[in-house]
Amino acid sequence: MKKIQIINGPNLNLLGKREPTVYGNASFEGYLSGLRARFPQCEISYYQSNVEGEMINKIHEVGFEYDGIVLNAGAYTHTSIALRDAIKAVATPVVEVHISNVHARESFRHVSMLSAACRGVILGFGLDSYRLAIESFM
Ligand code: DQA
């Protein structure tokens, strides 16, 4: 069994309610059960936090044991050197994901502090971005 950790950052607990025209109407929990059914060969763990340090702690916790981390750091993507350092510090490869096409949005979303430390980036495919990121670990 491959072990994959999904980490969602700030405000992503409100998926389904938050700006539905940008992020859609589906909750992440509902989507997650479909993902788990689609990848029976994977143990998919899920963690969400609105707190930067808690996300860093989770990366440290799984980052020498899991086969892959799928990280949507929300707005911390654009600001957090501490998250970038955490990604670089661990052995597990990280794929950065975004639900929206950040390059089609405000210019402050065009910059990612994380991308250069990640194995790759998938963005703009709605929740399907997470599925594509998991495929990259298969
Ligand atoms: C996001 C894009 C970020 O710019 C934003 O702050 C989010 C969500 C996305 O998944 O599209 O919170 O990471």
Side-chain angles (χ1 to χ4, degrees):
M1 281 282 252
K2 287 212 168 168
K3 291 174 96 170
I4 305 292
Q5 175 74 54
I6 298 174
I7 302 176
N8 271 345
N11 302 306
L12 293 167
N13 53 311
L14 296 182
L15 283 177
K17 299 181 188 141
R18 170 195 185 196
E19 297 185 81
T21 54
V22 179
Y23 299 112
N25 295 303
S27 74
F28 196 78
E29 285 67 19
Y31 177 72
L32 184 60
S33 44
L35 263 188
R36 287 182 169 136
R38 190 172 183 134
F39 294 100
Q41 71 279 36
C42 285
E43 185 187 315
I44 301 175
S45 306
Y46 177 57
Y47 180 75
Q48 189 278 330
S49 176
N50 295 317
V51 180
E52 186 179 16
E54 289 179 356
M55 295 171 65
I56 291 168
N57 286 343
K58 180 53 78 174
I59 292 171
H60 292 177
E61 184 189 315
V62 302
F64 295 92
E65 193 199 330
Y66 277 53
D67 299 294
I69 297 173
V70 176
L71 174 64
N72 185 347
Y76 288 138
T77 303
H78 316 298
T79 61
S80 180
I81 294 165
L83 271 170
R84 178 201 187 100
D85 287 348
I87 294 165
K88 289 191 86 125
V90 298
T92 300
V94 177
V95 171
E96 175 183 342
V97 306
H98 301 285
I99 297 162
S100 64
N101 178 355
V102 286
H103 297 292
R105 301 180 64 195
E106 304 97 321
S107 57
F108 60 81
R109 296 185 205 277
H110 299 178
V111 174
S112 169
M113 294 296 153
L114 312 182
S115 300
C118 291
R119 176 186 272 183
V121 183
I122 297 173
L123 59 90
F125 294 97
L127 287 177
D128 217 26
S129 297
Y130 293 86
R131 191 224 0 127
L132 292 165
I134 293 174
E135 297 277 7
S136 78
F137 290 118
M138 294 301 108

